[in-house]
Amino acid sequence: MAPAADTDQILEHTDDAPGWSVQLLVEKGVKEVPSKYVRYKSLHSDLPVIDDFSVELPVIDYGKMHGANGEEETANFFKAVHEWGFLQIVNHGLTEGLIDRTLDVARSFFLLPVSEKQKYFAPDPDVPVEGYARINNVDGLMDWGDTIMMNGDVPVLNKHKTDFSDWHHLPEKFRDTLVTYARETHTLGLKMMKQLGDAIGMADVEETGGPQGLQLAFNFYPPCPQPDLVLGISAHTDPQTFSFLIQDQPGLHVLNKGRWVLVRPIHDALIVNIGDQLEILSNGKYKSIMHRVRVSSEYKRFIVGSFLRPALDAVIGPDPRLIDVEHPPLYKAIKYADYMGDGIDDGFLEKRIVNKVRIHE
Ligand code: OGA
Ligand code: NI
């Protein structure tokens, strides 16, 4: 394989051409991956990969769980959560066609001319908290993708925004779909977390973790001329409470039993996973699971992530109901803003931030 080009300044950054954009890099016809993006070799590249769907994420029929004789599917759901921490949900009850429409919005956003997209530039492209930015710049290395992050917050989360209807970030024509998608995944996420909490005697997440806001992310992974050298997103766990993901093409790898397992795209399915905050609230009964994204040399890939998360000033620690002499707290309580701050400084790679708050015996 040709060595990666050693270009430090990849594209000139101007007001109307974001130097950090992988989309733009690919549109310029880059043939070799610039060295800043070469991160694949350092991150669990020694682990086996199952890319042929011979092993798969459990698929759960959510409607069936709530129908007559739902016990078996409910048992499958909990088994999937414990064995994988990641699953796919079908028959979830979201408005018909909403997932397709939401993925269409994500695609349409990235197809907008740069002159339109620049209105949404993040203040700092290396801090992908809000706005249009690169996905990750951690340890000076970058992921092969662009993102736009939006916050649909309860007022306490962010004082200059009010609620889901104030989705000022996106062109008007996208807003209805996104607000609906955000509301529906938010409601479903709270419901699922209630089911998970009830099963282990945990209080409602909003009681101990405070009101949950919602972050939406569109990620775009353009085709890469040397896909084996890069990652679309490096191995990480989601720092929020609970995540939903929709994808149009394969690319997501979930770590399971020491293997990377590729997630099969299922039309209309929701990929669901546990975030770090739920791991902490549940005192480790539920675990956030490492995942990463590979990119293709052939196709573009779009995803929409929908992340329930606490208010920035919420202090998150193990639910006191789960703690007694025999079950000491396994995590230190930490303000969510500080948790995210550490993540932004150190990166959410691996389980770096969870490990920082873990109480070692
Ligand atoms: C994320 C994420 C996976 C994907 O945004 O946190 O893990 O397939 N995305 O893009
Ligand atoms: Ni993730």
Side-chain angles (χ1 to χ4, degrees):
M1 190 168 299
D6 198 15
T7 3
D8 245 14
Q9 186 58 43
I10 296 155
L11 288 178
E12 201 187 338
H13 186 83
T14 66
D15 280 351
D16 56 3
W20 45 262
S21 167
V22 176
Q23 179 181 2
L24 222 64
L25 194 66
V26 170
E27 281 169 8
K28 299 258 176 205
V30 68
K31 292 282 181 297
E32 283 177 12
V33 168
S35 57
K36 282 181 180 182
Y37 292 91
V38 178
R39 53 154 83 252
Y40 180 53
K41 292 293 168 220
S42 59
L43 285 155
H44 305 300
S45 57
D46 49 331
L47 295 181
V49 165
I50 301 184
D51 265 353
D52 60 1
F53 308 125
S54 57
V55 176
E56 281 208 52
L57 227 60
V59 181
I60 301 296
D61 184 326
Y62 198 65
K64 201 164 153 195
M65 273 172 67
H66 299 92
N69 309 318
E71 298 82 10
E72 194 185 335
E73 199 63 355
T74 303
N76 292 338
F77 172 77
F78 282 102
K79 190 163 181 268
V81 170
H82 287 297
E83 288 183 0
W84 286 78
F86 247 96
L87 53 151
Q88 302 215 59
I89 301 270
V90 296
N91 199 8
H92 36 60
L94 295 199
T95 297
E96 196 154 347
L98 183 60
I99 289 181
D100 282 343
R101 287 205 300 282
T102 305
L103 280 168
D104 275 347
V105 166
R107 267 181 224 111
S108 314
F109 174 78
F110 290 105
L111 293 176
L112 292 172
V114 177
S115 59
E116 184 64 23
K117 281 186 294 203
Q118 65 169 326
K119 295 183 194 153
Y120 312 104
F121 279 171
D124 178 349
D126 287 331
V127 183
V129 176
E130 183 139 50
Y132 174 40
R134 68 165 101 253
I135 290 181
N136 250 328
N137 175 5
V138 177
D139 301 342
L141 292 177
M142 283 143 210
D143 289 339
W144 193 264
D146 294 350
T147 190
I148 177 165
M149 280 275 199
M150 293 152 281
N151 292 302
D153 290 342
V154 286
V156 65
L157 276 178
N158 205 323
K159 293 192 178 53
H160 62 276
K161 278 172 233 103
T162 49
D163 60 31
F164 294 141
S165 59
D166 179 26
W167 221 302
H168 65 288
H169 270 292
L170 282 178
E172 199 87 44
K173 62 180 177 186
F174 297 155
R175 239 175 263 172
D176 274 358
T177 299
L178 288 183
V179 170
T180 308
Y181 184 72
R183 285 210 173 104
E184 292 194 10
T185 50
H186 187 255
T187 304
L188 186 61
L190 290 180
K191 183 173 167 187
M192 284 188 180
M193 283 200 283
K194 173 105 177 62
Q195 291 170 303
L196 293 171
D198 285 350
I200 58 166
M202 194 176 126
D204 200 275
V205 161
E206 291 205 303
E207 198 180 301
T208 35
Q212 298 293 299
L214 194 97
Q215 209 166 23
L216 274 195
F218 301 164
N219 292 355
F220 173 28
Y221 307 100
C224 178
Q226 297 170 298
D228 290 342
L229 296 183
V230 306
L231 285 170
I233 306 189
S234 307
H236 68 285
T237 55
D238 291 344
Q240 301 90 344
T241 318
F242 200 71
S243 312
F244 292 103
L245 194 108
I246 51 181
Q247 62 173 352
D248 65 349
Q249 295 276 8
L252 176 61
H253 270 169
V254 172
L255 190 63
N256 177 262
K257 297 184 184 147
R259 319 156 295 189
W260 290 113
V261 177
L262 187 69
V263 180
R264 179 168 60 101
I266 300 176
H267 182 239
D268 256 348
L270 282 169
I271 299 163
V272 177
N273 66 291
I274 308 285
D276 294 349
Q277 305 310 312
L278 187 55
E279 173 168 335
I280 296 171
L281 285 164
S282 72
N283 203 30
K285 289 254 171 43
Y286 297 118
K287 296 262 187 340
S288 63
I289 296 297
M290 208 115 74
H291 51 287
R292 68 175 191 182
V293 175
R294 298 300 314 277
V295 299
S296 161
S297 58
E298 307 291 320
Y299 54 79
K300 298 178 175 138
R301 176 166 181 267
F302 296 89
I303 65 101
V304 178
S306 179
F307 307 99
L308 280 82
R309 58 159 204 183
L312 288 172
D313 61 359
V315 176
I316 306 296
D319 182 337
R321 290 193 199 184
L322 304 176
I323 303 303
D324 58 30
V325 206
E326 270 150 45
H327 304 95
L330 301 177
Y331 305 84
K332 288 178 261 188
I334 181 173
K335 205 164 143 184
Y336 185 61
D338 295 337
Y339 192 94
M340 294 306 286
D342 283 353
I344 285 160
D345 291 346
D346 294 357
F348 291 109
L349 298 191
E350 317 276 331
K351 285 190 88 158
R352 273 184 201 178
I353 314 301
V354 189
N355 289 335
K356 252 174 126 164
V357 299
R358 206 188 296 278
I359 298 172
H360 298 279
E361 302 287 293

